[in-house]
Amino acid sequence: LVINHNSPEIIFEQDVIDLGEFMQYDDPSSKCEFKFTNTGKEPLIISKCKGSCGCTVPICPKEPILPGETGIINVNYDEKRVGSFNKSITITSNAKNSPKIIKIKGKIIAVDKNSTGAPIKKQSKLAPKAN
């Protein structure tokens, strides 16, 4: 096994981002950024960026990250789901520490349907009809 000491290395400012508690449908709260640096001596090329489920969507830079340069991986969690979440994103690259796993976690509080100021629908007196 030949080890390339010049190969890129991806180092994140933080491996886990806690989004905390936020309300359902609060779109800005469900987005976060993972900043990273290529601490190696060769350009870093991210080949794959995948969330642990469809509710976690990462957007990775397509262009090579040069040695010493920084990049950002944007992650958007589907904030329509209620409850606690702990999701991982796997980053596959040409870095010597690939694959790298980063995580987001938090808790989404259900929106109270009655507190939004929207009119409450009254129960219909008509019996439901079968189609």
Side-chain angles (χ1 to χ4, degrees), residues 27-127:
D27 195 47
S29 297
S30 66
K31 293 177 168 66
C32 61
E33 290 183 344
F34 285 90
K35 288 195 174 104
F36 66 88
T37 305
N38 175 8
T39 60
K41 294 187 173 78
E42 291 176 359
L44 170 73
I45 297 160
I46 296 174
S47 54
K48 201 164 153 209
C49 210
K50 188 160 180 8
S52 54
C53 72
C55 57
T56 308
V57 182
I59 301 164
C60 285
K62 302 265 185 281
E63 67 283 352
I65 306 297
L66 299 175
E69 296 283 305
T70 57
I72 288 175
I73 293 172
N74 289 294
V75 179
N76 188 10
Y77 180 72
D78 179 359
E79 84 294 351
K80 292 181 267 313
R81 294 159 182 252
V82 174
S84 296
F85 61 91
N86 192 344
K87 302 291 175 189
S88 59
I89 297 105
T90 304
I91 292 116
T92 309
S93 70
N94 63 339
K96 56 185 161 193
N97 59 336
S98 174
K100 176 75 181 144
I101 293 175
I102 53 177
K103 294 184 172 170
I104 59 165
K105 63 181 186 174
K107 186 175 182 188
I108 298 178
I109 312 297
V111 171
D112 180 358
K113 305 275 189 298
N114 300 336
S115 68
T116 57
I120 296 165
K121 290 198 177 87
K122 298 218 166 39
Q123 279 305 116
S124 169
K125 303 259 186 314
L126 299 171

